[in-house]
Amino acid sequence: MRLITAPIASLTWQDMLDFCALALPEGATVDYKRDFPSELERTVAAMANTSGGLILIGVDEDRTSTKPVLPPVGLQTARGVPEKITNLCISNITPPLVPEIALIPDSTGTTSVVVLRVPQSHQAPHAIARNTKVYLRRGSINSPEDLATLDELEWLKGGRQKSS
């Protein structure tokens, strides 16, 4: 489980493969994305507002089991991906939140998987869409992100002092 515990800069392709081999289904704290998602900030904010988690971009999921498909498809290795994600999060999440980001290349260096570690935030709620929408991460297969209710917003504002 080095993908969760090791310093982000030390992660390797093998660490990512070992994590995927665990075959953890997508859920509240794990999200697999085949391609770079159009609304990455929504998933980052939702995870930060709830329990935190991992987002693996370049890893496809089996649509039935929601487990990762091996081998990972990866993304074309490109410069500036961590900076792009950082800017996306700073520009679109209020208050700003930046996950830990690792671009992990395969042995050839042509394909990479992006790993984002999103911490549970004590500055929650984090909103997106010009500070108008607050999402929470739930374990639903069909719709893992849902808008927070007023009660959940109060819980987030209270610093998670009571359990849900």
Side-chain angles (χ1 to χ4, degrees):
M1 294 282 250
R2 279 186 40 85
L3 212 62
I4 297 171
T5 60
I8 198 86
S10 73
L11 295 177
T12 66
W13 186 260
Q14 189 60 51
D15 294 330
M16 184 273 308
L17 289 176
D18 291 345
F19 181 82
C20 289
L22 295 172
L24 298 174
E26 188 174 88
T29 59
V30 178
D31 197 358
Y32 305 107
K33 302 286 187 193
R34 178 182 177 92
D35 297 309
F36 200 88
S38 61
E39 293 186 342
L40 180 61
E41 67 272 16
R42 183 171 73 178
T43 303
V44 170
M47 282 186 167
N49 284 338
T50 48
S51 301
L54 285 174
I55 303 169
L56 281 72
I57 305 171
V59 177
D60 202 4
E61 71 174 90
D62 178 278
R63 299 292 179 219
T64 304
S65 69
T66 71
K67 294 179 181 180
V69 174
L70 291 174
V73 293
L75 303 173
Q76 185 75 27
T77 300
R79 292 178 39 172
V81 171
E83 293 82 5
K84 177 182 175 182
I85 294 169
T86 298
N87 289 335
L88 179 77
C89 291
I90 289 172
S91 299
N92 295 301
I93 300 174
T94 306
L97 168 76
V98 178
E100 290 183 278
I101 305 164
L103 183 64
I104 304 174
D106 67 3
S107 60
T108 68
T110 58
T111 302
S112 298
V113 167
V114 181
V115 176
L116 283 73
R117 276 196 280 206
V118 181
Q120 179 184 35
S121 177
H122 294 288
Q123 292 182 325
H126 293 276
I128 65 162
R130 295 190 172 97
N131 207 20
T132 61
K133 295 182 180 179
V134 174
Y135 289 89
L136 296 177
R137 182 82 176 169
R138 296 192 173 99
S140 170
I141 293 170
N142 295 329
S143 181
E145 298 114 350
D146 292 317
L147 283 172
T149 66
L150 291 175
D151 286 342
E152 290 165 330
L153 286 173
E154 285 301 317
W155 174 72
L156 290 171
K157 285 176 35 183
R160 297 181 171 88
Q161 293 175 0
K162 63 179 182 175
S163 63
S164 55

